[in-house]
Amino acid sequence: MGIDATSFDAVLLSFTHLTNKKAALTLGRQGLHMSLDIINYILTNYGHLNLIDKVHGKYCEKLFEEFGFNELDSLDYSSYEGASIIHDMNKPLEVTKKYDYIYDGGTIEHIFNAPQVLENIINLLEIDGIFCSVTCNNNFSGHGMYQFSPEFFLSTLTPKYGMEIKELFIA
């Protein structure tokens, strides 16, 4: 799991919708899978010249910190990559903290109980918070348990559940 060039574009686009940048959560501990040259190139394209050469490292914590988040947690099923919250998202999560931003960079397609995953995400998200998911589309056989179509998000992340889709992209 991690942030590559395509995911980085999605993250930066989703940041434009944020009204608060206090706390962020990543589903899985997200690695940075780009060279510093690519990171700097994308930052330049988005006009973030003040961040050139500042966003780097094995994992994404520095990225979120440089964009103004002062709290960052990562949630994973195992402690293998050093996530700060260990929980099986197939099961309900007792919510003790809400997040302004939740990033899924390739986790939800590996979890069997998709309705519970979405319920956990919705419960973890602060009002007016942003959920950004970069996941496989249909026909990406052999990766994960599911390949989610745009209709999955359009049908589940609705006002009925307190959600509104700001943008939806297929890359």
Side-chain angles (χ1 to χ4, degrees):
M1 292 175 295
I3 299 174
D4 62 9
T6 301
S7 306
F8 196 30
D9 267 333
V11 167
L12 294 179
L13 283 169
S14 66
F15 280 175
T16 65
H17 296 289
L18 279 169
T19 57
N20 191 4
K21 290 185 184 176
K22 181 181 175 194
L25 174 71
T26 62
L27 302 183
R29 187 151 185 229
Q30 299 293 312
L32 283 180
H33 300 296
M34 300 170 283
S35 68
L36 189 55
D37 289 342
I38 297 295
I39 292 170
N40 288 339
Y41 175 78
I42 294 170
L43 288 170
T44 301
N45 284 345
Y46 280 89
H48 295 293
L49 302 177
N50 60 321
L51 298 179
I52 300 297
D53 293 329
K54 292 183 179 178
V55 176
H56 53 79
K58 183 175 180 180
Y59 293 102
C60 72
E61 285 86 357
K62 185 75 171 160
L63 165 70
F64 284 90
E65 180 184 300
E66 290 296 333
F67 273 93
F69 290 95
N70 45 10
E71 298 176 39
L72 179 65
D73 289 316
S74 52
L75 188 154
D76 207 334
Y77 177 75
S78 99
S79 60
Y80 175 72
E81 291 188 287
S84 57
I85 301 168
I86 308 303
H87 179 75
D88 179 356
M89 291 288 277
N90 283 296
K91 300 174 183 171
L93 177 67
E94 183 180 325
V95 175
T96 58
K97 181 177 181 180
K98 298 268 191 168
Y99 296 90
D100 304 301
Y101 186 83
I102 299 176
Y103 176 72
D104 166 32
T107 296
I108 65 172
E109 71 266 18
H110 298 281
I111 301 171
F112 178 74
N113 192 347
Q116 184 62 60
V117 170
L118 288 179
E119 185 176 323
N120 286 337
I121 290 167
I122 290 167
N123 290 338
L124 286 164
L125 198 59
E126 190 67 71
I127 292 174
D128 290 329
I130 297 293
F131 169 56
C132 176
S133 181
V134 178
T135 186
C136 299
N137 194 13
N138 286 351
N139 300 319
F140 198 74
S141 298
H143 179 87
M145 203 167 302
Y146 302 107
Q147 296 85 48
F148 294 113
S149 70
E151 287 78 13
F152 172 78
F153 296 102
L154 292 168
S155 298
T156 58
L157 302 178
T158 64
K160 176 180 176 182
Y161 302 106
M163 304 292 282
E164 172 189 12
I165 294 179
K166 299 283 189 181
E167 297 185 73
L168 182 76
F169 297 96
I170 299 176

